[in-house]
Each structure stands twice: as C-alpha cells, then as structure tokens.
Amino acid sequence: MKVDLHSHSYYSDGVYSPAEVVELANQVKCDLFSLTDHDTTDGLSEAQQRADDLSLNFTPGVEISAFWNNRTIHILGLDININNDTLQKGLRQNQELRKERAEKIGLGLRRAGIKEALDKTRVLSKTGMITRTHFAQMLIREGYCKDMKSVFRRFLTGKKPGSTIVEWSSFEEVIGWIHAAGGHAVIAHPFRYRMTQTKIKRMFSEFKEAFGDGVEAITAMSSEQEINLCSNWAKDINLLISSGSDYHGWPNQRINVGSLKEVPKSDNLIWNHLSWQR
Ligand code: AMP
Ligand code: MN
Ligand code: MN
Ligand code: MN
C-alpha cells in the first residue's frame, strides 16, 4: 500500500493547485491520498473532484495549528466532513490568528529594516492565506537569504525579528473540531518540534488523554529508527499510525508525493479506520 496522508496546495503554502497535487499522487500510484492544507479546507472540493475523475482514493484532510506546552504543534484532521460548522468555526479562528500574526511579523521585519514586508508578502499568496513560508519566499526574493532553511533560522524563529508566538487552541479544542466533523486527529511530524524523546512521549500521552487518534510515524524525512521508535510509542498507548510526505512542491526540497519509507508491520494503521474504500 502506498498511502500519503499529508500534502499542501497553494490554498496554504504549497506551490501547485489542488488538482495538480492530486494528479501527482495519481502518477506515482498512491492507493490513498489526502490534501491537508494549513488551517483551511478551501482546496478540498477541487481535489476531490480531480480524484474522482481519476478514480484515485482520496480522503479530505486539513493540518490545524494547535498550542501545547508553549509551542505550535500541527494536528492533521483526516477523513473530515468539510461542511461541519464546528470545524469551520475553529478554522476561521485560526485564519484570524494568522492575519494578526502576519501584521506582527511585518512589524518585526520593519524594525529590522525590511520595509513593506507584509505588502510584498501578500502578493505572493494566490489565495489570501499567509504562512511563514510566504514571508520566507519574500525574504529570499528580496535577497536577504539564499534558501528556506537559512531564512527561517535568521528571520522567522526563536528570538529573530520576524518570530512570533501565537496562542492557537489546545489539543482538546482542536481534536474536538476534528471529531465534530467525523474525522481522525493525528499529530503531524512528531520529530520536527525540537523536543527530547521524553517530551515527545509526554505529548503523545496528553494527546491520547485529549482523545486524539494517531501520530504520523512515517514521513519523508523519517529515519528507520524514528519510524520504529514512534510506532512503538504509539502502540504502547493505543494510538494509530499514519504516513505522509508533507509535500509542498518547493524546488530543491527533494520530497515528492508518495515518497515515503516502508510502513512497518502493524495492526494499528490509520487507513484501516478511515471511510475511503471504494
Ligand atoms: P506557518 O504554519 O505559517 O507557521 O508556517 C509553517 C510552515 O513553514 C511549515 O508548515 C513548513 O512548511 C514551513 N517551515 C517551518 N519551519 C521551516 C524550516 N526551518 N525550513 C523550511 N520550512 C519551514
Ligand atoms: Mn507548510
Ligand atoms: Mn506541519
Ligand atoms: Mn504540512
């Protein structure tokens, strides 16, 4: 089974349209695919339509920003009903927080001598959603940095001028929105938060206590060791495991749709719990 349950279109910080991303998943013969834009479901009807045309198994998804232990944690909502009011109300709240944050990042960058940062960033967004990736792209275009990695390090994280802290909603709240929409809640890329293993395990437990469903054990960046560790921790506390490339379509990123490591033998795979079978 080739399952990719994490990807982005230009409705958030991806490069391609939802239809184009679905076409890529079809080309590499995904058995099941999901589009999971940041804090919006606006690209899903286009994606679903293209998937139906191609007879590709598709499940609607979203990647929601949540706040746990003073940091941003991404939670995937998989197999969601996009017409659910509770979910949409939560997503609108996050979209509002994003707008406020964009203003703050713009001010921070101005203090660092970068003029009209927000205006210059806005024009890079095809759909109005502003992510830090858009700021990063702007800073690279304007010649402040040469690549994504250095731009995040020099401008957008830690104590740097364009860094901000957003108090997104808690695990309980975000999981509640996803469940209200009939979806499954999954912690995205658990090894990307710069946390110790002890802390990651604590995050898993608290996620489980908040009725979360699973963790993304297999990503494009995972080592074999990380996949095994994560799958074992998940199994110990009865969380399901998921698999996703986090494809954005950026150049030089070397991540393609469906480019994932082997899925370990396991009886707690999330795709056996989703309603996608044709
Ligand atoms: P946002 O959700 O607006 O805070 O933007 C977060 C997005 O920025 C993530 O989903 C990644 O796509 C990207 N990102 C975050 N940190 C880095 C990094 N160090 N290098 C490259 N991209 C990053
Ligand atoms: Mn992203
Ligand atoms: Mn993420
Ligand atoms: Mn993502």
Side-chain angles (χ1 to χ4, degrees):
M1 285 276 287
K2 188 182 260 194
V3 179
D4 189 343
L5 300 176
H6 188 163
S7 70
H8 297 271
S9 74
Y10 60 42
Y11 278 86
S12 61
D13 55 353
V15 172
Y16 298 108
S17 70
E20 286 167 328
V21 179
V22 164
E23 280 155 23
L24 291 170
N26 189 57
Q27 274 166 29
V28 300
K29 299 191 165 59
C30 279
D31 297 295
L32 176 63
F33 183 68
S34 185
L35 179 72
T36 54
D37 276 312
H38 295 286
D39 299 316
T40 180
T41 58
D42 289 351
L44 290 172
S45 53
E46 178 185 326
Q48 182 75 62
Q49 197 159 17
R50 194 75 192 106
D52 288 347
D53 292 345
L54 297 166
S55 301
L56 175 78
N57 293 311
F58 180 80
T59 186
V62 63
E63 182 173 15
I64 306 181
S65 314
F67 201 61
W68 179 79
N69 230 279
N70 282 315
R71 62 176 88 221
T72 300
I73 302 291
H74 287 168
I75 302 184
L76 298 165
L78 299 174
D79 207 11
I80 46 167
N81 167 14
I82 62 173
N83 297 315
N84 180 268
D85 288 340
T86 306
L87 174 66
Q88 290 302 339
K89 190 161 164 261
L91 295 180
R92 276 198 299 277
Q93 217 171 288
N94 275 18
Q95 289 157 14
E96 217 32 63
L97 288 170
R98 279 184 174 277
K99 283 188 193 142
E100 290 166 20
R101 183 186 65 168
E103 300 280 347
K104 283 187 200 154
I105 296 177
L107 287 175
L109 292 176
R110 190 164 78 195
R111 279 198 288 274
I114 301 167
K115 296 203 181 78
E116 291 164 45
L118 182 53
D119 287 342
K120 284 182 180 153
T121 300
R122 259 201 200 102
V123 298
L124 298 177
S125 169
K126 280 207 174 64
T127 55
M129 150 111 30
I130 298 188
T131 68
R132 283 185 300 158
T133 313
H134 293 102
F135 278 100
Q137 243 181 297
M138 181 279 289
L139 290 164
I140 292 169
R141 271 186 186 221
E142 296 285 314
Y144 290 101
C145 271
K146 64 176 197 316
D147 57 34
M148 281 280 176
K149 204 175 157 175
S150 57
V151 84
F152 270 89
R153 201 179 50 230
R154 283 180 45 200
F155 288 99
L156 298 170
T157 52
K159 295 195 163 67
K160 300 301 160 62
S163 170
T164 50
I165 290 187
V166 182
E167 281 201 40
W168 311 101
S169 296
S170 66
F171 277 178
E172 287 77 5
E173 288 167 295
V174 172
I175 292 165
W177 306 341
I178 293 168
H179 285 174
H184 286 65
V186 172
I187 295 181
H189 43 68
F191 286 99
R192 236 191 284 156
Y193 304 108
R194 294 166 187 275
M195 296 196 291
T196 60
Q197 293 192 1
T198 312
K199 200 141 184 205
I200 297 176
K201 284 197 270 186
R202 205 174 94 220
M203 171 171 73
F204 284 10
S205 307
E206 293 189 19
F207 188 70
K208 177 73 188 180
E209 281 161 24
F211 304 104
D213 302 288
V215 298
E216 194 174 52
I218 304 121
T219 78
M221 313 289 272
S222 308
S223 66
E224 297 282 329
Q225 193 206 8
E226 285 171 345
I227 293 174
N228 289 327
L229 268 176
C230 189
S231 307
N232 289 335
W233 297 336
K235 196 181 166 78
D236 286 345
I237 57 171
N238 231 342
L239 283 168
L240 301 168
I241 60 174
S242 187
S243 157
S245 65
D246 204 3
Y247 176 77
H248 286 76
W250 300 326
N252 314 324
Q253 208 202 9
R254 284 179 303 165
I255 289 172
N256 291 311
V257 173
S259 67
L260 290 154
K261 296 251 165 47
E262 197 68 26
V263 174
K265 277 204 174 24
S266 165
D267 47 20
N268 61 338
L269 303 170
I270 197 152
W271 48 95
N272 295 330
H273 297 255
L274 307 177
S275 61
W276 59 280
Q277 269 91 353
R278 281 174 187 274

